[in-house]
Amino acid sequence: MIILEDIHKVYLRKNVETTALKGVSLQVDKGDIFGVIGYSGAGKSTLVRLVNYLERPTSGKVIVDGQLLADRSAHELRQIKKDIGMIFQHFNLLESKTIYQNVAMPLILSKKGKKETKERVTELLAFVGLSDKANSYPNELSGGQKQRVGIARALASKPKILLCDEATSALDPQTTQSILDLLKKVNNEYGITIMLITHEMSVIQKVCNKVAVMEEGEIIEQGSVLDVFGHPKHATSKNFVQTVVRTEIPENIKRKLAVREVTTLTKLEMVGDHATEPVLQSLINKFHLDVSVVFTNMTEIQDTTLAIWYLQIEGKESDKRAAWQFLEEQNVRYEEVTV
Amino acid sequence: MFDTNITLNQFVEAIGESFYMVGMSLLIGTIFGAIFGILIVVTRPGGIIPFPIVYMILNPIINTIRSVPFIILIVALIPFTRSIVGTSIGNNAAIVPLIIFITPFIARLVENSLLEVGPGIIEAAESMGATPFQVIWHFILPEAFASLILSLTTATISLIGASAMAGVVGAGGVGNIAIVYGYQRFDSFAMFSTVVILIIIVQVIQSTGNKLARMIRRN
């Protein structure tokens, strides 16, 4: 659906070059909710604006729905943009127009008939739960309501893709949750592919199926959300994951381990059904190992469970080897970690 | 009661003449001023249709005319006025320099009002695939409307002030009464009355402008 190929973006301001993107490649498939996370200045705003060509790449290819955007005329690009909705951190609603008129705007631009416009706007306002606000003005609405209007407006032209530029960053946690639920509903009911950028890992955790982590204009890690959350490779990814899931042993436990002179632990990572299977019991009963749980964390991601266990395992080497094989058969990821 | 040679009729006529001069020059000045103001906003570097040449020509022209005091503009423009109106004396002759005076002023005010519209609004418009004309018509102008009304109020009041100087080229109006009767004939009543009339007119225009702008903003 969206392919970015080796994108470089250099800004020239007052004869000083700033590189925003350094060779970024990614692919968003149809039906994905693709999250891009990074600290501010990582280049994620530029990245998302490439998809609807609000920003043009200095080099590299942007392919949306099979069309190479660089080949398209200004007129064709405007048509392509109608297939791509966008919502913003600060909503960008027209303060001088009613909610109805705001949502109708994309249809007015496409010169749709009054009747068609009215049907579509009514449907969308019902979808976002703001039917009673049709004649209100944006300044009478709360932040969460404004973003709902933003979403309704972005959906008016029946886009295939929805871009979200820090759509929940100006909202409180509760409102954020309701907007994220709405985005999921947009993805489920209309089958719209979503690309969102954020600096909050909890947003990725709640709605995305894929994630790319950005730092200084580069994607340092990307993959399915479960993979990245389960075993982030890069230090920055680890920091982000830590904000929502404790994958590292807390310091106070480390101190106690040091006192007991424990140096190696076994880290198990179980996803989905495995997370709730009696793996531990098997280790104890089948393989006669002494297992003590040092630290554990279970998190719900993508409607499945991610469980991380830090175990101290004692027993015969042969039993341990048999146990490792058993874990492999069970698709449980395990590794020896030094404390 | 007052030692004066002026009649009520003369006042009524003068007010009519002032309104005629101000109204005509405001109408034409607004049309050109709005066009130039919009042009200078959209063609500036980083604007929605960047066109540096247009911007680089318009901007200094506006500055140049704005730096000439109106009283000098009237005199300097006499040949030009004569070539257009056929005469350089009278109300119609005054309208020409008034238009030349107010157009760049309105262009600047329109520019400022339009620049108040946040870049986010324009970005949203472009993300919807709006054409440059649609961005101006459906997004920038409605969002700037209240501010534009206030700008026009300011321009109108400026014009009233300028039109009072039009007596120099034999135009009528309230200003002319103040000069001919009040100043040249030491008629304090005429002078005092014109001042009061001007204060009232300016007050009414300003508060009407404020009220309109507030209605549009719905605060």
Side-chain angles (χ1 to χ4, degrees):
Chain A
M1 201 74 184
I2 303 168
I3 299 170
L4 302 182
E5 248 178 55
D6 196 27
I7 303 277
H8 289 259
K9 175 74 189 182
V10 181
Y11 290 103
L12 189 65
R13 282 202 192 104
K14 290 177 184 161
N15 293 324
V16 181
E17 284 192 353
T18 337
T19 308
L21 297 172
K22 307 169 188 166
V24 170
S25 299
L26 63 78
Q27 179 171 347
V28 180
D29 295 321
K30 194 170 175 8
D32 274 348
I33 304 187
F34 192 103
V36 178
I37 188 161
Y39 296 115
S40 53
K44 47 194 199 311
S45 275
T46 309
L47 186 78
V48 76
R49 281 167 175 71
L50 288 166
V51 178
N52 59 0
Y53 245 43
L54 288 179
E55 295 276 3
R56 286 159 191 252
T58 310
S59 70
K61 287 180 185 166
V62 182
I63 301 164
V64 175
D65 207 11
Q67 309 186 80
L68 180 63
L69 296 192
D71 286 350
R72 301 289 143 180
S73 67
H75 175 76
E76 286 170 318
L77 279 174
R78 283 198 287 272
Q79 293 309 312
I80 292 171
K81 282 177 186 173
K82 293 183 183 187
D83 279 340
I84 308 173
M86 189 167 192
I87 57 173
F88 305 87
Q89 179 174 4
H90 298 296
F91 326 119
N92 297 348
L93 302 178
L94 290 161
E95 298 290 329
S96 59
K97 302 208 182 266
T98 63
I99 300 313
Y100 180 95
Q101 290 167 325
N102 266 285
V103 176
M105 191 49 87
L107 303 167
I108 293 168
L109 298 181
S110 301
K111 302 189 172 68
K112 298 276 193 247
K114 273 226 168 88
K115 190 164 165 274
E116 189 186 344
T117 303
K118 186 160 193 219
E119 277 171 15
R120 184 77 184 135
V121 175
T122 311
E123 178 198 334
L124 285 165
L125 286 178
F127 180 78
V128 301
L130 289 175
S131 298
D132 55 329
K133 300 285 182 196
N135 295 317
S136 303
Y137 285 87
N139 64 3
E140 299 164 36
L141 266 53
S142 70
Q145 289 173 325
K146 283 183 192 171
Q147 196 56 287
R148 283 168 185 273
V149 177
I151 291 172
R153 180 175 71 175
L155 298 181
S157 55
K158 302 192 176 166
K160 295 174 188 153
I161 298 170
L162 177 64
L163 303 175
C164 309
D165 178 18
E166 297 274 7
T168 58
S169 300
L171 305 174
D172 63 57
Q174 213 174 348
T175 316
T176 294
Q177 183 62 51
S178 77
I179 293 297
L180 293 178
D181 290 341
L182 184 58
L183 289 178
K184 264 195 165 171
K185 197 171 137 195
V186 166
N187 179 254
N188 280 335
E189 289 185 23
Y190 293 122
I192 292 173
T193 307
I194 297 180
M195 182 169 176
L196 64 84
I197 64 168
T198 180
H199 60 266
E200 293 168 305
M201 202 59 173
S202 59
V203 168
I204 305 275
Q205 179 195 5
K206 280 169 191 155
V207 290
C208 296
N209 65 330
K210 289 186 193 154
V211 61
V213 185
M214 285 196 76
E215 189 172 62
E216 290 177 2
E218 287 175 286
I219 292 182
I220 50 172
E221 193 161 346
Q222 64 176 318
S224 85
V225 167
L226 276 172
D227 278 344
V228 173
F229 273 72
H231 36 92
K233 293 179 197 80
H234 196 279
T236 304
S237 323
K238 280 182 190 162
N239 283 340
F240 276 122
V241 172
Q242 286 291 320
T243 60
V244 285
V245 192
R246 277 219 86 116
T247 57
E248 304 288 315
I249 306 169
E251 282 303 317
N252 66 330
I253 296 182
K254 277 189 183 169
R255 279 195 295 274
K256 282 177 196 155
L257 291 172
V259 172
R260 281 159 48 199
E261 291 181 353
V262 178
T263 52
T264 53
L265 292 175
T266 306
K267 179 184 173 191
L268 303 190
E269 192 191 299
M270 290 170 276
V271 171
D273 295 339
H274 297 296
T276 48
E277 270 174 22
V279 174
L280 286 194
Q281 208 176 344
S282 303
L283 290 181
I284 298 166
N285 292 345
K286 274 195 194 164
F287 304 101
H288 317 290
L289 296 170
D290 271 342
V291 178
S292 46
V293 178
V294 174
F295 174 70
T296 179
N297 190 309
M298 290 179 99
T299 318
E300 196 189 0
I301 298 168
Q302 282 282 296
D303 299 325
T304 58
T305 317
L306 171 73
I308 288 163
W309 298 80
Y310 283 94
L311 307 173
Q312 188 186 348
I313 299 180
E314 306 280 343
K316 278 191 261 172
E317 276 308 308
S318 58
D319 288 337
K320 276 193 186 173
R321 268 197 298 278
W324 299 158
Q325 188 159 5
F326 166 76
L327 290 176
E328 245 160 64
E329 282 161 14
Q330 296 288 316
N331 270 326
V332 174
R333 201 184 281 263
Y334 71 91
E335 59 180 321
E336 297 277 327
V337 291
T338 335
V339 183
Chain B
M1 188 165 75
F2 295 105
D3 180 21
T4 182
N5 298 315
I6 201 160
T7 64
L8 183 65
N9 262 349
Q10 277 175 299
F11 267 119
V12 174
E13 201 182 320
I15 292 173
E17 283 168 341
S18 287
F19 273 105
Y20 172 71
M21 286 188 289
V22 170
M24 286 300 283
S25 48
L26 184 66
L27 182 73
I28 299 169
T30 301
I31 293 169
F32 286 110
I35 292 171
F36 293 142
I38 292 170
L39 270 178
I40 209 166
V41 168
V42 298
T43 60
R44 69 175 49 226
I48 59 173
I49 325 166
F51 213 107
I53 297 170
V54 175
Y55 179 76
M56 274 160 21
I57 291 173
L58 268 184
N59 203 35
I61 290 181
I62 290 174
N63 282 344
T64 309
I65 303 176
R66 293 258 291 127
S67 47
V68 182
F70 182 62
I71 191 82
I72 295 169
L73 202 60
I74 297 177
V75 180
L77 283 173
I78 284 176
F80 177 69
T81 306
R82 193 177 289 134
S83 72
I84 286 184
V85 192
T87 170
S88 59
I89 299 167
N91 292 333
N92 283 327
I95 289 173
V96 173
L98 281 173
I99 291 169
I100 304 288
F101 162 75
I102 206 65
T103 299
F105 186 49
I106 291 178
R108 270 285 175 259
L109 290 170
V110 167
E111 179 195 17
N112 287 336
S113 294
L114 299 188
L115 286 178
E116 281 170 26
V117 177
I121 294 287
I122 293 156
E123 191 173 48
E126 287 179 341
S127 81
M128 289 178 210
T131 62
F133 174 77
Q134 286 176 326
V135 176
I136 298 166
W137 187 252
H138 289 292
F139 293 82
I140 298 179
L141 288 179
E143 285 299 277
F145 194 45
S147 169
L148 285 171
I149 293 290
L150 288 178
S151 293
L152 275 189
T153 309
T154 308
T156 310
I157 290 167
S158 262
L159 263 183
I160 290 170
S163 74
M165 290 179 224
V168 173
V169 286
V174 183
N176 190 45
I177 288 185
I179 291 168
V180 174
Y181 291 88
Y183 175 64
Q184 289 166 354
R185 299 188 191 174
F186 308 103
D187 185 336
S188 326
F189 174 75
M191 182 63 94
F192 180 73
S193 308
T194 50
V195 170
V196 170
I197 288 170
L198 284 173
I199 289 173
I200 292 170
I201 291 174
V202 168
Q203 283 294 333
V204 168
I205 288 171
Q206 185 66 58
S207 54
T208 311
N210 289 348
K211 213 168 272 174
L212 269 175
R214 218 175 304 130
M215 258 169 60
I216 293 160
R217 285 206 174 114
R218 263 168 293 270
N219 281 335

